[in-house]
Amino acid sequence: MPLAPHSVAWISLRKLLQGYCLLATTVFFGILIVGMQPSASFGQEEESAVVEKDVAGADDKNDGGEISYLAWATRSLGWFYGLVFLGLSFTLVALFVMNLLTARRENVIPATLIADFEQHLEAKQMQEAYDLARNDESFLGHVLSAGLGKVSAGYSQAIEAMQEAGEEENMRLEHRLSYLALIGTLSPMIGLLGTVDGMISSFKLIANTATGAPDPQQLAQGISTALFTTFIGLLLAIPALAAYNLLRNRVSRLVLEIGIVSEGLMSRFQK
């Protein structure tokens, strides 16, 4: 049986996803706070070196102020791109879990429904078979109830009703899957936006430097923003598009199987 929106299993799944989002948010802001501390220490040492104009002190600062890769990535992304990619990653995980559970075979083509429905048809219990299919929330249940409800008008009308119900359920599944493809398309675009933003900042620094060479640290900040946003965007887009195509192929196979099973069950009404 599929997970009904108000069932205990569905409520437990929602609580699990909410707990995951809360944990991930806590970890992210913890990383953000830890990542800012080396950056602040680095900035204080740099300001002290500028005031004292001590070249040796500046060299010591560069050696002792090295920050970790994670802190560097956090500072390069900034709060805007960090929050955007964080929200996309949460949404991607939630959509993947929901679509994976929805595309499970027992939620789409329950074996118990097929056995019980066929048993009622063999016993000429049409009303019981119709009630069984109508009360089942699975894909197959909706298709069988639509067909059995029109069987009194003729076999062709029953098949047409089943096809319409199947198309509606298939559209509902593909509509939810399409959000995975949307994330896979938006993520590299946001990464490209960060690339352009970072390169503009770097070239602006070069243009505003009248004499001498621009500050290499400030120049590296813009370039690192450009590279990290592109990297994170691709890191989200690749699994999103892979999950979308894999789940879409699985849904297509299940929909084809539903058509074969439903027509096989209703073939006894063909004259």
Side-chain angles (χ1 to χ4, degrees), residues 76 191 194-199 221-231:
S76 298
T195 301
V196 175
D197 184 21
M199 296 306 295
Q221 176 66 30
I223 298 175
S224 62
T225 298
L227 294 177
F228 271 113
T229 51
T230 305
F231 175 71

Side-chain angles (χ1 to χ4, degrees), residues 14-245:
R14 289 178 57 187
K15 290 183 178 179
L16 180 62
L17 291 176
Q18 291 174 357
Y20 165 79
C21 293
L22 180 61
L23 177 61
T25 304
T26 304
V27 171
F28 173 78
F29 282 107
I31 293 174
L32 185 62
I33 294 174
V34 173
M36 290 173 62
Q37 291 177 353
S39 176
S41 176
F42 186 83
Q44 291 175 359
E45 293 176 357
E46 181 182 5
E47 182 179 356
S48 176
V50 171
V51 174
E52 296 176 359
K53 297 181 180 180
D54 188 353
V55 177
D59 293 337
D60 294 339
K61 172 207 69 173
N62 291 331
D63 295 336
E66 183 179 356
I67 61 176
S68 65
Y69 183 86
L70 185 60
W72 179 34
T74 303
R75 188 178 65 179
S76 298
L77 287 175
W79 67 269
F80 174 73
Y81 294 109
L83 290 178
V84 170
F85 284 129
L86 184 67
L88 287 176
S89 62
F90 287 164
T91 306
L92 173 61
V93 173
L95 286 173
F96 175 73
V97 172
M98 293 176 65
N99 282 287
L100 187 63
L101 292 176
T102 303
R104 293 175 63 188
R105 181 181 178 83
E106 54 268 27
N107 290 338
V108 180
I109 315 176
T112 55
L113 174 62
I114 298 175
D116 294 341
F117 188 84
E118 189 172 13
Q119 183 179 0
H120 286 309
L121 292 182
E122 292 290 344
K124 306 297 182 181
Q125 298 173 344
M126 303 304 173
Q127 185 61 42
E128 287 78 2
Y130 175 75
D131 292 338
L132 175 66
R134 185 184 60 181
N135 294 329
D136 194 286
E137 295 296 329
S138 65
F139 194 135
L140 181 61
H142 291 161
V143 171
L144 291 177
S145 62
L148 199 57
K150 293 289 185 178
V151 73
S152 59
Y155 178 74
S156 60
Q157 284 78 6
I159 294 297
E160 184 178 353
M162 287 194 302
Q163 290 176 350
E164 292 178 356
E167 291 176 359
E168 182 179 354
E169 290 296 317
N170 185 34
M171 184 178 62
R172 182 178 62 85
L173 292 177
E174 290 186 352
H175 179 72
R176 182 178 294 176
L177 277 175
S178 66
Y179 289 114
L180 288 175
L182 179 62
I183 292 177
T185 304
L186 283 180
S187 296
M189 293 297 101
I190 297 175
L192 181 60
L193 176 64
T195 301
V196 175
D197 184 21
M199 296 306 295
I200 289 176
S201 300
S202 298
F203 280 107
K204 179 182 178 182
L205 177 64
I206 296 175
N208 291 336
T209 303
T211 58
D215 186 356
Q217 292 179 355
Q218 295 183 10
L219 190 64
Q221 176 66 30
I223 298 175
S224 62
T225 298
L227 294 177
F228 271 113
T229 51
T230 305
F231 175 71
I232 300 299
L234 293 175
L235 200 63
L236 288 175
I238 293 173
L241 292 176
Y244 168 72
N245 285 281

